[in-house]
Structures are given as structure tokens and as C-alpha cells.
Amino acid sequence: MTEKLLFLTGKLAEKSLHKVLRQIQADIEVQANLKTPQFKYRVEQIGVSVAALMTPEMIARRLKDVGDANKVILPGLCQGDLGPLEEKLGVPVERGPADLKDLPQYFGQQGIAPDLSQHSVQIFAEIVDAPDLSVDAIIAKAERFKQQGADVIDLGCLPGKPFVHLADAVKALKSAGHLVSVDSMSISDLRIAGHAGADFLLSLTEKSIDLIDEVAATPILIPAKPGNMASLYRAIEHCLRKNKPFIADAILDPIHFGLTDSIVRYHKLRKKYPEIPIMMGVGNLTELTDADTTGINALLFGMISELNINAVLATSVSAHAVNAIAESDVARRVMYRAKQDNRLPRGYSNGLLGLHDRKPFSYDEAEIQEIAAQIKDPSFRIMVSEQGIYVYNRDGLQLDQDPFQFYPHLGVENDASHAFYLGVELARAQIAWQLKKRFVQDEELNFGVASQVQNKQPKKAHREASIKEKKHQPKP
């Protein structure tokens, strides 16, 4: 059935919205794109300049009826609960993309929200300094890691440092509902952890494998000596003969200390044992490489997906790896979905696009000039294109790449509040232009998993107050 859609918009976006929708319809007709559903549409401008300032309550007051539409599409930045509006209008109401220029993707196959609810990799999040932390501090850190996506909390034991409260920590984590692993080179520590109820023990070799007869914990098996895969194979065979569960780890080495050889080892391990569970510890790359961990995790989880690796040991110690657990969670879901779809891992999530965006500039200079020409009020708008930063209101349009160059021409030297607001927005615009990121006025920049949840009310209130204060000012 052909959908009949009603698009609600503001004065400034109305013309651009019509243009984009006409182009979508033309593309459907010319390309016979069967992946894009056929639809009819109507656009209604509800008497607000900036579409982002719409609220469901405002729409309910101003929209008399939906005509023959069977769905209403709101601007993506429209805030508020849509439930009461749907009930009043009697048809589904949903938000479109934040930028109307993304409507082609919204209607096309790429615009369908991918199902990222599934994955095939367990994340072991290591608390590397557990012996130095109180039980309460361990629980608190475990909760943070769990919120970031961890499935198992790993307690790291420090060489030569006693972990006197190890058993208490394991029991407390179990009581709090966590799966627990303990990572130690000491058989004594592992024995204590196993008897305290740990679910996994890192790491056993063929020399310490007999511990599996004493405790119920699942061992993670590693080579007895670095790179000695024969010893790992013997430990694996021992567990297989005893019908004991285990996870094997060939050990990922850091760059210039055997990285490539270690990747080959994982490949050989999977080829020799197609069905066994395998773990990869990714911290030797994320922690020990001065590079953004988003890209490192994306690449690692691509290999993890290809090799059907079932668990990772991730760490979040170095300041630059602060989001490594959350990045692992995004990466495992994206790679799983892309593998199931037999597609490249593109267009599934922007969680790992920390520095750059795939489509940073929605509008070119001509389009911005066209929008600026419609402005009849003194409130400043800010946009970014490949050429730089644009600031405009009813008095004209300015373009520069340095925010400081705008100040003498803004006329806000006696308006501290407005000057502060413009300073914040122009700083964001400059960062967006420099990094090639998407900029939307009154919205924080999106840095993927590194983005903080924002409270939009102060910015919304500031903008509304600014518009109310200045809309009656005479034009100079």
C-alpha cells in the first residue's frame, strides 16, 4: 500500500524540504528503486521559523487535521513525547532525521534502523588495579563497565602484590549479579578465586591445567610460553578429553613485538579447531598504541568477526582508552549485523566515528545563501559548509573560518548573554569545520560513544528567550 505522508516543518526549511522530497520521488521513478517504498506526501508549515523549536503540544494546537495522511513525519530535532499527539491525530507520528538532507537515506534501505540488538562476542572487562581497590570501589567500577557493555567483570591480579580481599571481591561481585573472571599468573590466586565462585579463570596452561579438577570455573587456556602453540593445543586436547568447557587464547601481541605473527596464530587456531570458543585480549593494541581506540577496535572486531572469535578481554586504563569497553560493545554489534547481512560495515552506526563524519556538510554555499535571504528577524543562525562558518540574520550573511573575525560585526558587545551563547555555538562550528563533522545549531557535536548525554532544556530556553527579546527590535 502506498503511504500517504504529512511532513510538518518550519518556515525556513519549507522550501528545502519540498526540493528534497521532489528529488526522492524523481529518483524512485527514474531508478525504479524497489528498496525504497512508494509514497505520496504533503508538506505543512505550522507557523514557526525554526523547525527544531516545534513541540508536540504546539503541533497539537496548530494542526487542525491530517487529511488523508496515514503517517505524520516531524523534524528529527522536535523534542517531547509523541504519544499524546498520536492519540489526538489518530495516525502514527514519528521523527525524521535530524537533518532533512538525510531524508533520502531515511526512505532508502540505508535509512532503515539496523537491528544492533544481537552479537556473538562476550566482553570481559578487566579491572587491572583490583588489588589496590576496596570491595566497594570494585563494585562501583564493575557497574560502570556493565553499563558500557561488559558481560564479565575480570579482576586483574598484580604480580608480586597480595590480593588479600580477592575472595570477598569475587563473592561481592557475584552477589551483585555479575559474571566474574580472575586474571592471575598465580595458581594460588586462581584456586582462591575458583573456590570463591569465579566463573572464569585467566589463564591456565598445560602446566596448571589440573586446577580444572578442583574448581568449577571455566579456564581460559594460553600457551605455556609466548607463541608456543603446541603447548596450547595440548591444553585444549586435555580439556576436550575430559569434556570440560574452556576458552582458548593465542595471545595478541603489541605492534613491533609480534602483532602480525599473533594474528596468524589466531587464524591457525581457528582453522585447527573450527568449533571451540576463542578469546582475544585487545588491550595490547588499544592501550599500547597512541592512536584513537575507535579505529583500532573497529579493525580488531572486524578480524574477530571473520575468525568467529567468541570473547574479548578489554581494558580501560590509559586516558585515551577511557571508552574502550563501550567501543567494543558497538563494534561487536556492528560487525555481527554486517556479517549477517553480508555487507560492508558501513551505515550501521556512527558510534565509532569519533573524529569525522561520513557526510559532514549538509548544505553548500548557494543553499545557505538561499536560506539566509529568507531571514526577517535579528536572531543569528549559524551553519557550516566546506568553505567555512556562516553567521546570518536579517542584516546579512558573513563567512569566515575564524570565529574571532565575526565578533566586531555581531553587535553583541553590550549583550553578555547573547555573546556567550554565540561564543559557544561558534566554537562548536569551528571544531566541526576543522574535523569535518556535522554541525547543527543548538546541538552538541556527536563524537560517537564519547558523546555525553546532553540536557537540551537550557539551550532551548536560551534560544527561545533570545528570539522573544529581539523579535520586536527595529531594524537599524
Side-chain angles (χ1 to χ4, degrees):
M1 182 182 71
T2 300
E3 282 194 304
K4 298 177 181 178
L5 305 178
L6 173 60
F7 289 84
L8 302 185
T9 189
K11 297 176 183 177
L12 296 180
E14 183 178 11
K15 187 174 181 179
S16 294
L17 179 58
H18 275 291
K19 182 178 179 180
V20 170
L21 289 172
R22 283 196 299 269
Q23 187 60 53
I24 293 172
Q25 293 283 39
D27 289 343
I28 293 173
E29 184 176 346
V30 171
Q31 300 173 12
N33 186 354
L34 299 180
K35 292 182 179 180
T36 302
Q38 298 288 331
F39 67 93
K40 295 181 179 180
Y41 71 89
R42 179 166 59 88
V43 173
E44 185 158 336
Q45 187 266 104
I46 66 167
V48 60
S49 293
V50 182
L53 294 181
M54 286 186 194
T55 65
E57 294 78 15
M58 177 193 298
I59 295 168
R61 291 193 305 269
R62 298 186 181 187
L63 183 63
K64 302 305 179 184
D65 62 75
V66 299
D68 63 349
N70 50 33
K71 184 184 290 187
V72 176
I73 309 294
L74 307 183
L77 296 177
C78 177
Q79 303 298 312
D81 181 10
L82 303 184
L85 184 60
E86 281 192 337
E87 186 175 348
K88 178 180 184 298
L89 298 178
V91 297
V93 179
E94 64 183 51
R95 294 179 180 87
D99 192 320
L100 65 86
K101 286 299 191 72
D102 292 329
L103 278 169
Q105 289 75 35
Y106 174 80
F107 281 106
Q109 187 68 26
Q110 294 179 0
I112 298 173
D115 178 10
L116 299 181
S117 64
Q118 298 175 296
H119 60 81
S120 59
V121 179
Q122 271 191 311
I123 297 174
F124 287 59
E126 183 178 6
I127 302 177
V128 298
D129 55 348
D132 293 331
L133 301 177
S134 67
V135 172
D136 287 343
I138 288 172
I139 295 294
K141 183 169 282 191
E143 290 297 331
R144 289 198 299 273
F145 284 164
K146 184 175 182 179
Q147 291 173 6
Q148 293 174 356
D151 302 296
V152 182
I153 302 303
D154 180 69
L155 297 177
C157 298
L158 301 173
K161 189 177 186 71
F163 195 162
V164 295
H165 53 303
L166 172 58
D168 291 337
V170 171
K171 292 175 182 178
L173 285 168
K174 293 295 294 179
S175 295
H178 297 284
L179 291 175
V180 182
S181 65
V182 173
D183 189 353
S184 177
M185 298 303 294
S186 165
I187 294 298
S188 175
D189 284 343
L190 295 179
R191 181 175 286 110
I192 291 171
H195 286 298
D199 301 283
F200 303 90
L201 298 179
L202 286 76
S203 304
L204 298 183
T205 70
E206 63 174 340
K207 297 179 180 179
S208 54
I209 194 66
D210 289 341
L211 187 58
I212 66 173
D213 297 324
E214 298 182 38
V215 297
T218 299
I220 281 71
L221 307 178
I222 63 172
K225 293 182 179 180
N228 187 346
M229 292 299 287
S231 69
L232 176 58
Y233 297 155
R234 289 192 290 268
I236 291 171
E237 292 296 335
H238 181 87
C239 288
L240 290 174
R241 285 193 302 272
K242 286 181 168 286
N243 198 29
K244 291 280 190 176
F246 66 92
I247 302 175
D249 188 348
I251 306 298
L252 187 71
D253 291 322
I255 294 171
H256 295 150
F257 291 86
L259 170 63
T260 305
D261 285 341
S262 65
I263 293 172
V264 172
R265 290 198 298 269
Y266 279 103
H267 184 269
K268 289 181 177 179
L269 177 61
R270 175 50 79 205
K271 189 172 183 179
K272 183 175 178 65
Y273 296 100
E275 304 298 331
I276 69 169
I278 298 177
M279 169 182 279
M280 178 184 285
V282 297
N284 276 346
L285 249 63
T286 56
E287 297 283 349
L288 303 181
T289 308
D290 280 348
D292 293 306
T293 53
T294 49
I296 294 175
N297 272 317
L299 183 59
L300 282 174
F301 275 84
M303 290 190 289
I304 286 166
S305 179
E306 288 193 355
L307 293 171
N308 192 28
I309 289 173
N310 318 98
V312 297
L313 177 63
T315 56
S316 182
V317 182
S318 302
H320 81 286
V322 66
N323 293 311
I325 308 299
E327 293 164 6
S328 296
D329 184 43
V330 173
R332 65 176 173 173
R333 296 173 188 276
V334 167
M335 296 304 169
Y336 177 87
R337 186 75 267 148
K339 187 175 184 178
Q340 295 301 307
D341 295 343
N342 195 29
R343 286 180 52 197
L344 295 171
R346 300 184 69 191
Y348 286 95
S349 169
N350 61 1
L352 299 178
L353 288 171
L355 288 181
H356 314 293
D357 285 334
R358 289 184 61 198
K359 297 181 179 180
F361 305 126
S362 302
Y363 297 85
D364 61 29
E365 186 169 31
E367 291 173 314
I368 294 174
Q369 290 174 343
E370 185 177 0
I371 294 171
Q374 302 177 55
I375 301 301
K376 307 300 181 184
D377 62 72
S379 296
F380 288 106
R381 278 78 170 180
I382 303 171
M383 298 179 74
V384 177
S385 81
E386 191 171 356
Q387 283 68 41
I389 306 165
Y390 298 81
V391 178
Y392 58 90
N393 64 2
R394 68 185 181 189
D395 300 319
L397 173 69
Q398 304 174 56
L399 166 65
D400 214 294
Q401 297 169 1
D402 178 3
F404 284 98
Q405 300 302 316
F406 292 114
Y407 182 75
H409 311 290
L410 297 177
V412 293
E413 56 272 13
N414 296 318
D415 187 347
S417 176
H418 203 192
F420 176 82
Y421 165 77
L422 289 174
V424 170
E425 291 299 318
L426 286 169
R428 288 177 179 155
Q430 182 187 33
I431 293 170
W433 180 76
Q434 289 176 332
L435 293 181
K436 305 298 183 287
K437 293 196 69 66
R438 182 74 66 91
F439 171 81
V440 179
Q441 189 172 351
D442 292 323
E443 295 290 309
E444 293 188 14
L445 299 182
N446 187 335
F447 293 101
V449 298
S451 297
Q452 301 294 317
V453 177
Q454 56 177 306
N455 179 8
K456 298 184 178 181
Q457 186 55 38
K459 288 175 289 185
K460 184 171 180 283
H462 188 291
R463 186 175 180 86
E464 289 173 338
S466 174
I467 291 173
K468 182 177 180 180
E469 176 185 348
K470 295 184 176 297
K471 69 179 181 179
H472 298 302
Q473 291 183 358
K475 185 175 180 179

